[in-house]
């Protein structure tokens, strides 16, 4: 409806902006092609008339790729959110939390899809959040979480309903640099052949499924969204692999078993040992262990492929061993089809003090 747009109804050469400082619905009864899309404030939700409808960047070759973008969160101190339902938003570049001091969020729900034909950045120079929920889909050539120093990104793929699966397909890999990729129950990442790479400030958490290799170069996550425990090693503050949920390391949390889970990797898993040629960081695996009336429960990684180990293993107790003693003799926190004979063990292990 042209009356709802300032200046004119969107056309191929138009740059459009959603800037109303409130929550509102935008109904799109047909596919629209525009130059680029910006969400600078407020919370518009795009609700298409069918799953085949799109709001997309221009396909014209006369418009440079750099001008074919979706930007959410472009003004310092002004948060912006975009919701996508029952259709898709397709663009060359996806930029969530575009500039320093900005905050952007994209929520993709049932029937919704976000497509980026080049790079999808969650936290470019600012703070970015991507949530694929209960059937929400995303497709991108490359994905980066927390791209620049000082940025933070959080990408969550999950489904609250067993009938729906949320999926993010990435053909050239996911780089988790400064933030977290959370793959929770009902969530799937298809990232073969390059897979997911955790840098020193990156964390991978959850109980979902990764289809593709995972390379863990993330320093141990002593923070991971919650305050670290007193006495936790000060160097372990930034990232790592955390099956289930994220809790502090280096001691006892006694916070129950709700964040204990199993992360499945259908591909090769490499946890990198310290290498002077690559810097001082090494990969880390964080697991929780608890005693329940049914027995011992713990986080687990299932690797349907080969595993190469190095770096650190960090264990946190989720129950009080003074009340329910725990036998640590055999806890298969990681299983794999095969283990690299040259790197079959972690380099270090931090275990909680036991009574």
């Amino acid at each position: 409806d042209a009356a709802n747009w300032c200046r004119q109804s969107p056309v191929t050469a138009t740059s459009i902006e959603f800037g109303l400082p409130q929550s509102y619905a935008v109904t799109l009864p047909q596919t629209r092609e525009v130059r680029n899309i910006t969400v600078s404030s407020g919370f518009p939700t795009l609700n298409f008339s069918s799953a085949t409808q799109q709001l997309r960047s221009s396909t014209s070759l006369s418009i440079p790729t750099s001008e074919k973008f979706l930007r959410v969160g472009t003004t310092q101190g002004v948060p912006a959110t975009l919701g996508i339902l029952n259709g898709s938003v397709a663009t060359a570049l996806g930029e969530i939390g575009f500039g320093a001091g900005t905050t952007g969020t994209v929520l993709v729900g049932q029937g919704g899809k976000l497509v980026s034909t080049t790079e999808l950045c969650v936290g470019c120079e600012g703070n970015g959040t991507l949530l694929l929920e209960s059937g929400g889909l995303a497709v991108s050539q490359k994905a980066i979480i927390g791209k620049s120093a000082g940025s933070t990104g959080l990408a969550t793929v999950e489904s609250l309903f067993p009938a729906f699966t949320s999926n993010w397909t990435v053909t050239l890999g996911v780089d988790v640099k400064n933030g977290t990729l959370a793959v929770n129950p009902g969530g799937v990442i298809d990232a073969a052949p390059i897979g997911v790479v955790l840098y020193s400030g990156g964390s991978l958490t959850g109980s979902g499924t990764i289809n593709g290799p995972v390379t863990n170069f993330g320093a141990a996550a002593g923070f991971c969204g919650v305050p670290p425990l007193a006495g936790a090693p000060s160097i372990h503050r930034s990232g790592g692999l955390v099956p289930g949920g994220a809790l502090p390391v280096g001691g006892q949390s006694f916070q129950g078993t709700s964040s204990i889970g199993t992360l499945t990797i259908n591909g090769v898993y490499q946890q990198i040992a310290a290498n002077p040629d690559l810097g001082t960081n090494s990969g880390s695996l964080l697991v929780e262990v608890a005693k329940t009336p049914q027995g011992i429960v713990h986080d687990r990684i299932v690797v349907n492929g080969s595993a190469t180990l190095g770096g650190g293993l960090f264990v946190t107790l989720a129950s009080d061993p003074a009340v329910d003693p725990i036998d640590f003799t055999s806890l298969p926190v990681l299983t794999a089809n095969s283990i690299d004979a040259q790197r079959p063990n972690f380099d270090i292990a931090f275990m909680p003090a036991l009574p």
Side-chain angles (χ1 to χ4, degrees), residues 85-235:
L85 296 172
N86 302 316
S88 63
V89 173
T91 182
L93 297 165
E95 299 167 320
I96 307 172
F98 175 65
T102 64
T103 299
T105 301
V106 173
L107 309 176
V108 185
Q110 184 180 346
K113 187 176 184 180
L114 175 62
V115 179
S116 170
T117 58
T118 56
E119 179 181 288
L120 177 55
C121 172
V122 183
C124 303
E125 295 184 7
N127 302 314
T129 299
L130 172 65
L131 173 61
L132 306 181
E133 178 64 71
S134 299
L137 305 175
V139 177
S140 59
Q141 184 182 64
K142 178 70 178 177
I144 303 179
I145 298 173
K147 184 174 183 178
S148 303
S151 68
T152 58
L154 170 61
T156 303
V157 185
E158 65 183 17
S159 179
L160 301 178
F161 305 99
F164 300 103
T165 298
S166 298
N167 181 280
W168 188 359
T169 299
V170 188
T171 55
L172 295 181
V174 183
D175 289 348
V176 189
K177 292 188 172 183
N178 297 290
T180 299
L181 172 61
V183 189
N184 295 327
V188 176
I189 302 288
D190 288 320
I194 295 175
V196 176
V197 179
L198 304 180
Y199 290 78
S200 60
S203 298
L204 170 61
T205 74
S207 301
T209 300
I210 309 286
N211 293 323
V214 173
T215 302
N216 180 0
F217 198 61
F223 193 67
C224 244
V226 292
L229 294 175
S234 61
I235 60 171

Side-chain angles (χ1 to χ4, degrees), residues 52-111:
T52 62
Q53 303 296 335
Q54 288 187 327
L55 176 62
R56 65 183 182 224
S57 295
S58 173
T59 56
S60 172
L61 297 179
S62 65
I63 299 177
T65 298
S66 61
E67 295 183 23
K68 301 175 182 180
F69 57 74
L70 166 68
R71 288 178 180 165
V72 182
T74 59
T75 305
Q76 290 187 6
V78 180
T81 300
L82 174 66
I84 305 172
L85 296 172
N86 302 316
S88 63
V89 173
T91 182
L93 297 165
E95 299 167 320
I96 307 172
F98 175 65
T102 64
T103 299
T105 301
V106 173
L107 309 176
V108 185
Q110 184 180 346

Side-chain angles (χ1 to χ4, degrees), residues 321-349:
V323 176
D324 294 301
I326 297 176
D327 180 4
F328 283 91
T329 305
S330 177
L331 294 177
V333 297
L334 185 150
T335 60
N337 291 353
S338 62
I339 303 290
D340 186 343
Q342 301 299 315
R343 297 294 308 179
N345 299 308
F346 299 103
D347 296 319
I348 57 174

